Amino acid sequence: MGISVAGLLLFLKAAQTAGSRGSGVVAAVLVALGALGVLSVGLSTARRDVSSFRFRGRGRGVQRDNLVPAPAVPDIGGEALDHTAVDADGFEHTVAALCARDGCTPVEVVGGAGDLGADVVAVTVDGRRVVLQCKHYAPDNHVGSQDLQRFGGTCFTIHEADVAVVVTTSSFTAPAVEYAATCGIICVDGEALAAWTDQLALAPWDAPATDPTASIALNGPG
């Protein structure tokens, strides 16, 4: 805009001078042509700058669009594994932190209203989908067979688990363990959870079916 105005004013001034003096017409024409040349160069430069700016802007936009955010990794610090210092919701996050520590990725806490029994979903290093239900119970509140039956009705058919796990800070009744064994659900009670947390036992998805740390029950009513 500035170049255009300057060129126009210069042209008008040259024309006025030529008209008033009746001479120097050639000089005025040359000045006017020079002004037009400057105007042409300025406009060309401006177009290149704008085009370059737009191109760079498009390039940055494409780069941002192609970026895929990395899945969030749960905190796996010492406090993140303290199952006794959290409530029921926090317990889901401490279990998720255990999964992340043992190499699962991604790991997602999905518990909440309408979760249909799944509290944590993780994928192991070898690609297995692990669905975990977390029971943050007091020591005298045992996980019964009805809890296992509800989870057993969704973990494989709805959540498509390759490995289904119920983790509790408490213990399981004998009928609950029997039902879990029938359905292929791994039970991890408070003692087994402590061993897993302290790395004294394998992760549930790697523990042999006969490993006593993978399923410890308390005899009692179902």
Side-chain angles (χ1 to χ4, degrees):
M1 291 291 292
I3 295 173
S4 300
V5 172
L8 181 60
L9 290 177
L10 185 59
F11 177 80
L12 292 176
K13 184 176 180 179
Q16 182 179 9
T17 301
S20 60
R21 296 179 180 179
S23 62
V25 175
V26 174
V29 170
L30 291 175
V31 170
L33 290 175
L36 291 176
V38 172
L39 175 60
S40 176
V41 172
L43 290 177
S44 177
T45 302
R47 282 196 298 269
R48 285 197 301 270
D49 290 341
V50 171
S51 297
S52 176
F53 174 79
R54 288 177 178 172
F55 177 79
R56 291 195 300 270
R58 287 197 299 268
R60 288 194 297 269
V62 170
Q63 185 176 9
R64 284 196 299 268
D65 292 341
N66 288 338
L67 289 177
V68 177
V73 178
D75 179 16
I76 55 177
E79 295 182 358
L81 304 179
D82 189 352
H83 311 295
T84 62
V86 294
D87 59 10
D89 291 335
F91 182 49
E92 296 173 359
H93 289 269
T94 63
V95 171
L98 273 178
C99 296
R101 184 201 68 184
D102 289 351
C104 291
T105 180
V107 178
E108 185 178 4
V109 177
V110 296
D115 60 23
L116 297 177
D119 294 321
V120 178
V121 176
V123 178
T124 65
V125 175
D126 57 2
R128 288 174 293 167
R129 179 178 174 84
V130 182
V131 178
L132 303 98
Q133 185 178 79
C134 305
K135 297 291 188 184
H136 190 266
Y137 284 175
D140 58 348
N141 186 12
H142 314 304
V143 181
S145 60
Q146 291 184 351
D147 295 317
L148 269 296
Q149 289 170 24
R150 284 190 290 269
F151 183 57
T154 61
C155 59
F156 296 112
T157 58
I158 303 298
H159 301 296
E160 300 181 336
D162 296 313
V163 181
V165 183
V166 177
V167 185
T168 183
T169 52
S170 178
S171 55
F172 297 87
T173 64
V177 173
E178 292 174 2
Y179 176 84
T182 301
C183 297
I185 298 173
I186 299 173
C187 295
V188 179
D189 71 356
E191 293 183 19
L193 174 62
W196 178 22
T197 302
D198 294 337
Q199 296 183 300
L200 300 176
L202 295 173
W205 51 86
D206 288 331
T210 57
D211 188 340
T213 62
S215 179
I216 302 175
L218 174 70
N219 292 327

